[in-house]
Amino acid sequence: YLETFKSTNRNVPKVKRLRDRFKRIVVYSLQDPFDTFTFEFLNQVADLDSDIGYILVPRNPKKTYNQFKIRPNLIIEKELNIYECLCFADFHCTINSTCAIESLCFGTPNILYDFEGWARSYYSDILDDSGHTVLVNSADEFIAAIYRSEFYSKERIKRLSTFFFEDNFLENLERAIKTVFLSRKNGK
């Protein structure tokens, strides 16, 4: 599934409009249990730099967020899925969604919001390379990470993602079936 989106070049009019409107685009993987403090954090971050657009991708596109104040540069995306958004994002943010690992397939670096140490407790051992993932605790640190962190190039991040996801899924699956399952069936 990831490989399909990774190899698709989406030239969606919506993406062009976002690129024309914002200097940088951050895709945020929303997580339902964290809504209240996530929106507090995102509004603080959005206030610091209106040239950065935040594409907020909910797990459930039918969910409404009417109870939250939402700044003009915070956009809740209900048409494109998270992988389509990661294709054009400059950065990805979440607390501890697995999208922090999946974003690397697209060459998109992570800025993880370490609310109460949750991002660190999930990812400090496996996403421990500041070339693709940094953890922040405040809105100021978040903006600093966008402008001052020295993230690797998208191509290098994609290459490093093979630690988690190997390319050529269908070929690998076919080889695994032949090697593991069919060889056992033949007594090998």
Side-chain angles (χ1 to χ4, degrees):
Y1 192 72
L2 290 173
E3 198 165 8
T4 298
F5 282 103
K6 188 168 85 169
S7 63
T8 303
N9 184 4
R10 302 253 326 165
N11 191 5
V12 179
K14 179 184 277 191
V15 174
K16 182 177 177 0
R17 285 191 305 274
L18 290 168
R19 284 276 168 219
D20 290 344
R21 183 174 166 197
F22 299 111
K23 289 182 182 175
R24 308 267 170 98
I25 296 176
V26 176
V27 170
Y28 195 102
S29 303
L30 292 172
Q31 297 171 273
D32 293 342
F34 309 147
D35 284 349
T36 301
F37 48 83
T38 293
F39 277 94
E40 288 172 12
F41 172 73
L42 287 170
N43 278 304
Q44 290 170 5
V45 170
D47 280 344
L48 293 176
D49 191 334
S50 61
D51 288 333
I52 300 172
Y54 298 88
I55 310 307
L56 315 180
V57 184
R59 285 180 160 239
N60 177 0
K62 294 179 182 178
K63 184 173 178 178
T64 65
Y65 295 92
N66 298 334
Q67 70 272 34
F68 299 108
K69 184 176 183 182
I70 299 176
R71 300 290 190 273
N73 54 335
L74 298 178
I75 300 158
I76 297 175
E77 179 54 55
K78 294 189 176 216
E79 294 171 21
L80 302 175
N81 70 40
I82 187 67
Y83 306 119
E84 290 170 304
C85 293
L86 287 171
C87 287
F88 66 83
D90 296 307
F91 305 95
H92 170 257
C93 186
T94 192
I95 292 175
N96 56 16
S97 167
T98 58
C99 291
I101 296 170
E102 296 159 339
S103 71
L104 303 179
C105 285
F106 300 93
T108 305
N110 291 302
I111 303 172
L112 302 181
Y113 176 36
D114 194 25
F115 181 81
E116 295 190 3
W118 293 346
R120 185 172 312 283
S121 73
Y122 269 71
Y123 290 122
S124 65
D125 291 341
I126 58 172
L127 296 178
D128 59 352
D129 187 336
S130 63
H132 60 62
T133 303
V134 297
L135 282 74
V136 299
N137 293 297
S138 70
D140 290 329
E141 287 180 13
F142 188 90
I143 296 297
I146 286 177
Y147 288 109
R148 289 191 221 126
S149 292
E150 295 182 18
F151 291 111
Y152 300 138
S153 69
K154 281 194 171 283
E155 290 309 311
R156 184 170 181 192
I157 294 171
K158 285 178 186 179
R159 283 193 306 273
L160 291 170
S161 78
T162 60
F163 177 79
F164 301 104
F165 306 100
E166 191 171 332
D167 286 338
N168 302 314
F169 172 76
L170 293 177
E171 293 170 23
N172 297 336
L173 180 62
E174 184 177 321
R175 186 174 53 250
I177 289 170
K178 286 178 181 174
T179 304
V180 177
F181 298 109
L182 296 179
S183 66
R184 284 186 187 161
K185 196 174 192 180
N186 295 329
K188 295 179 184 177

